[in-house]
Amino acid sequence: MTVNGPTIAFLILASLILSAAVYIVTTRNIMHAVFVHLLALSSVSGIYILLYAQFIAAMQVLIYAGAVTTMVLFALMLVKPKAGMEIALDNQQKGMAFATAGVFLSVLLVVLVPKVWATSQEKLTPLTVAKFGKILFTKYVLPFEMISVLLLVALIGVLVLASKEEE
Amino acid sequence: MIPLNYFVIFSAILFSIGMYGVLARRNAILLLLSVELMLNAVNVNFVAFSRYITPHTIVGLMYTIFAMASGAAEIGVGLAIIVTIYRGKQTLNVDEIDMLKW
Amino acid sequence: MGLLIGIGLALLVIVLVLTHIIVFIWCELKIFAHIMDRYGPIETGKFHGVLQPFADVLKLMNKEDTVPGASDRLIFKVAPFVVFVPAFMAIGAIPLSATLVVINLDIGAFYIIALSAFTFVGMIMAGWSSFNKYSLLGAFRAAGQLLSYELPFGLTIAGVAMMASSLNLITIVNKQVVPNAFIQPIGFLVFVIAAEAELSRSPFDIPHAESEIIAGYHIEYSGMRWALFYLAEYVSLIILCSMTALLFLGGFKGPILPPPVWFLLKVYVLFFILAWIRITFPRVRPDQLMDLGWKVLLPASLLNIVLTASIIILLPDIWPVALAVTEFTIVIATLIYLGRTRR
């Protein structure tokens, strides 16, 4: 157990995220779930900063705070159920779900906790965004283009799905 | 330096919470939020392993970027499907959306 | 020790920014008044009402902090901070000179855009939790507007980053021999219009149009919580003026005077121009706003990126001149075309 600044910061962030996640999967108020979800995901960007991946952290905030949360909120406003917004958020298989997730987690923990990883001994240094860009547009240029095609397809698909059918 | 195992265990717990959410919730939007939690757990793992095991290559970070992009696409399409279903059936309850069973 | 220095710097930045905001508020009152041929505040503090902002602060601190009975209390109380704190966090990345900066981030410009994303959520939180139909309408108008203008805004920054091959604000400034506004006029115009819309000031003040939806998402707020929204608006104003100065007007570069003075001068001039625009133009309609954002600014910013990228690749030796000539030709041709068709 090492006690230093980053570790304490990590533990605080991790407990914040995990309690936020528990809140999301148990709350009965769907709007609160969305806002707490934003809290959890922006704290994940704090974890990325602790890993010296600032670019990923900024992307996380931009995508999740800027795009995903706002999209979910817009969708929620479009589909506000008439009555009983706060009932029937859970189904009857809560116990089964808890057991499955619990077993899954315990198996993971049994495997992972004693594991010693072959980590590199170097000190972490911040990644420059220039290095990132170079690799992204040389070695990974094909996946990058595929992602842009995927986003385009998603965009068209969403337009087709969400536009009202005209007779 | 923070031990690598902290990140791995953290993301395992986050993933399981998301999994519980996917299994136990019946509101479609909450399902999507739980899926996002699981996706983020995986992303944290990618970044942590990439930074700790191979600090000079950034392969894991690339996976994270692509995962985020496809995650955003997934949320967009998912919400469009939810809105469309809601127009037809006036419900967000995934237990009632069972037309394929007939 | 490092922690103490950090806290000290943060306090210094907060004090500096708050002083600026107080001065800006007074200047804005005076500018508005004189443009409208009035005097503006004249009584408080003997000399042209210089103590008016302080009186306003005292008034706001004494006001009762009301929370509507039907509201979602927790979210209602948190919302102002979600708008305010990220705005203040962004200030730290802005350099006053090549050495005078709190955090010199590798991704400075991107960091500022990313933090501005919290503003929408804060506004929706405020609007939704008030349980008031006007504030909900205002919140969603605000979110729609900010989302559609965030895109051209970010894309013009990409154009600038391509020319400097960096996202670091200091590098971007150092690489500007000629201010970028003269090389990328399209980018500059799009950036300024999008920034004005991001601030939701007139002519883009649809989210809190007083005559249509009372005051938008902060109807139900009073006292210090309302003041936080107000302060956040001015902090974003300062950030966007500084961004325009850094990205397009050569930032802290300039002859004779020391760099911080040049930087602040440019920010003040931009502030004056924005105040001038705010008080002279009428409000646009929501559909006109969306048309401008999606049909004009977004294609223009994409054109800017394509032109910049292809000219840098095709003419590696003379690209600044070629880019400037091309973009100015397009701008002038568009203006001539508009002048002919609008007659």
Side-chain angles (χ1 to χ4, degrees):
Chain A
M1 187 79 189
T2 45
V3 179
N4 51 22
T7 313
I8 294 167
F10 172 79
L11 291 178
I12 292 173
L13 277 173
S15 43
L16 186 68
I17 296 166
L18 293 179
S19 32
V22 169
Y23 184 83
I24 293 165
V25 295
T26 51
T27 181
R28 303 176 69 78
N29 185 328
I30 192 163
M31 284 300 272
H32 282 191
V34 178
F35 293 132
V36 172
H37 185 249
L38 172 69
L39 172 74
L41 297 187
S42 16
S43 314
V44 170
S45 86
I47 296 228
Y48 292 149
I49 289 175
L50 288 179
L51 286 162
Y52 292 95
Q54 285 95 332
F55 181 65
I56 304 268
M59 258 187 61
Q60 170 90 5
V61 167
L62 189 66
I63 290 179
Y64 286 105
V68 169
T69 310
T70 324
M71 240 177 347
V72 173
L73 287 169
F74 267 97
L76 261 180
M77 290 299 140
L78 287 176
V79 297
K80 192 179 175 190
K82 270 152 211 107
M85 193 172 162
E86 295 176 4
I87 57 159
L89 291 178
D90 290 342
N91 56 22
Q92 293 84 13
Q93 45 189 6
K94 248 170 141 175
M96 284 286 282
F98 189 79
T100 318
V103 168
F104 182 76
L105 178 62
S106 33
V107 170
L108 274 184
L109 287 184
V110 166
V111 176
L112 291 176
V113 170
K115 174 90 181 153
V116 178
W117 305 96
T119 50
S120 135
Q121 290 307 313
E122 280 169 79
K123 250 184 127 48
L124 287 180
T125 45
L127 280 172
T128 60
V129 69
K131 189 178 170 191
F132 229 98
K134 282 224 174 70
I135 297 184
L136 185 61
F137 287 103
T138 50
K139 198 174 169 193
Y140 291 93
V141 72
L142 186 65
F144 180 79
E145 293 299 330
M146 296 288 280
I147 277 291
S148 58
V149 173
L150 171 78
L151 286 175
L152 184 67
V153 171
L155 182 72
I156 297 170
V158 167
L159 281 178
V160 171
L161 276 174
S163 58
K164 284 187 179 119
E165 280 174 41
E166 282 172 34
E167 302 294 308
Chain B
M1 236 161 93
I2 311 162
L4 175 56
N5 243 355
Y6 283 23
F7 291 98
V8 179
I9 291 166
F10 159 73
S11 88
I13 301 174
L14 187 59
F15 191 90
S16 313
I17 295 175
M19 193 176 179
Y20 168 76
V22 171
L23 293 175
R25 293 302 216 175
R26 60 151 60 129
N27 181 297
I29 287 180
L30 285 173
L31 284 184
L32 274 183
L33 293 188
S34 308
V35 171
E36 280 306 300
L37 286 182
M38 292 163 76
L39 243 151
N40 269 277
V42 176
N43 281 351
V44 169
N45 250 355
F46 270 131
V47 176
F49 276 120
S50 166
R51 294 303 277 145
Y52 275 83
I53 293 181
T54 55
H56 295 295
T57 59
I58 54 179
V59 186
L61 303 189
M62 287 297 149
Y63 275 99
T64 316
I65 288 187
F66 295 133
M68 277 185 191
S70 38
E74 169 240 314
I75 277 272
V77 177
L79 288 175
I81 292 173
I82 289 172
V83 171
T84 316
I85 291 176
Y86 181 78
R87 278 205 196 111
K89 296 198 62 133
Q90 306 292 318
T91 179
L92 286 180
N93 184 344
V94 286
D95 290 348
E96 287 173 35
I97 306 168
D98 51 3
M99 304 211 332
L100 282 182
K101 275 193 210 159
W102 293 359
Chain C
M1 199 57 210
L3 191 69
L4 279 180
I5 294 175
I7 293 172
L9 274 176
L11 283 178
L12 187 71
V13 169
I14 290 173
V15 169
L16 263 176
V17 172
L18 287 179
T19 339
H20 266 89
I21 290 172
I22 287 176
V23 177
F24 273 15
I25 290 173
W26 179 77
C27 290
E28 220 176 38
L29 289 173
K30 282 311 227 185
I31 294 169
F32 289 175
H34 282 277
I35 288 176
M36 292 166 126
D37 214 1
R38 305 183 272 118
Y39 286 119
I42 200 91
E43 295 292 339
T44 331
K46 303 288 182 210
F47 178 75
H48 291 273
V50 279
L51 292 184
Q52 187 63 43
F54 294 99
D56 283 345
V57 170
L58 280 180
K59 182 194 78 178
L60 284 172
M61 289 207 296
N62 281 322
K63 263 190 172 176
E64 188 192 346
D65 177 23
T66 55
V67 178
S71 71
D72 191 312
R73 301 182 74 87
L74 178 70
I75 303 221
F76 186 85
K77 286 184 172 169
V78 170
F81 296 97
V82 177
V83 177
F84 178 77
V85 173
F88 247 105
M89 277 168 74
I91 282 272
I94 288 174
L96 285 176
S97 78
T99 47
L100 206 57
V101 56
V102 182
I103 27 171
N104 184 11
L105 279 175
D106 187 34
I107 47 163
F110 191 56
Y111 167 78
I112 293 173
I113 309 177
L115 280 179
S116 74
F118 278 105
T119 319
F120 329 125
V121 187
M123 284 173 177
I124 296 183
M125 281 168 86
W128 176 78
S129 65
S130 302
F131 287 177
N132 173 322
K133 60 185 166 197
Y134 293 112
S135 55
L136 191 63
L137 274 175
F140 277 89
R141 277 183 173 197
Q145 168 172 347
L146 265 60
L147 268 184
S148 22
Y149 280 83
E150 186 88 358
L151 277 172
F153 187 75
L155 288 173
T156 44
I157 292 179
V160 174
M162 270 184 219
M163 293 203 295
S165 53
S166 171
L167 278 170
N168 182 315
L169 289 167
I170 293 177
T171 318
I172 289 177
V173 172
N174 282 335
K175 289 245 178 117
Q176 292 179 42
V177 183
V178 180
N180 280 341
F182 295 111
I183 301 179
Q184 283 194 340
I186 300 181
F188 177 62
L189 290 174
V190 171
F191 188 84
V192 172
I193 297 173
E196 186 85 340
E198 287 267 304
L199 288 168
S200 53
R201 288 153 68 90
S202 357
F204 301 110
D205 61 343
I206 292 170
H208 35 80
E210 286 85 356
S211 47
E212 298 164 22
I213 49 171
I214 321 182
Y217 54 87
H218 51 56
I219 307 175
E220 300 288 358
Y221 284 86
S222 76
M224 279 320 276
R225 283 183 210 282
W226 181 80
L228 284 183
F229 279 115
Y230 193 64
L231 282 179
E233 217 164 278
Y234 276 87
V235 176
S236 334
L237 175 68
I238 292 175
I239 291 170
L240 289 175
C241 286
S242 325
M243 289 278 277
T244 320
L246 290 168
L247 296 176
F248 288 100
L249 300 176
F252 43 75
K253 276 190 171 177
I256 308 165
L257 295 172
V261 178
W262 265 113
F263 175 70
L264 290 178
L265 262 181
K266 285 170 185 170
V267 172
Y268 298 153
V269 169
L270 281 169
F271 163 75
F272 175 74
I273 294 173
L274 287 188
W276 188 3
I277 293 174
R278 178 174 176 184
I279 207 68
T280 35
F281 282 95
R283 186 182 306 138
V284 297
R285 288 199 314 263
D287 61 313
Q288 291 170 330
L289 177 98
M290 288 294 160
D291 276 4
L292 180 68
W294 290 101
K295 295 184 190 164
V296 180
L297 295 187
L298 186 62
S301 57
L302 286 173
L303 176 72
N304 180 39
I305 286 189
V306 171
L307 278 178
T308 312
S310 42
I311 289 180
I312 289 177
I313 295 288
L314 293 177
L315 305 165
D317 303 319
I318 52 156
W319 64 264
V321 185
L323 187 58
V325 171
T326 326
E327 294 224 346
F328 268 110
T329 320
I330 293 172
V331 170
I332 292 166
T334 320
L335 288 180
I336 292 172
Y337 174 74
L338 287 179
R340 276 164 171 274
T341 48
R342 289 286 162 87
R343 202 163 286 161

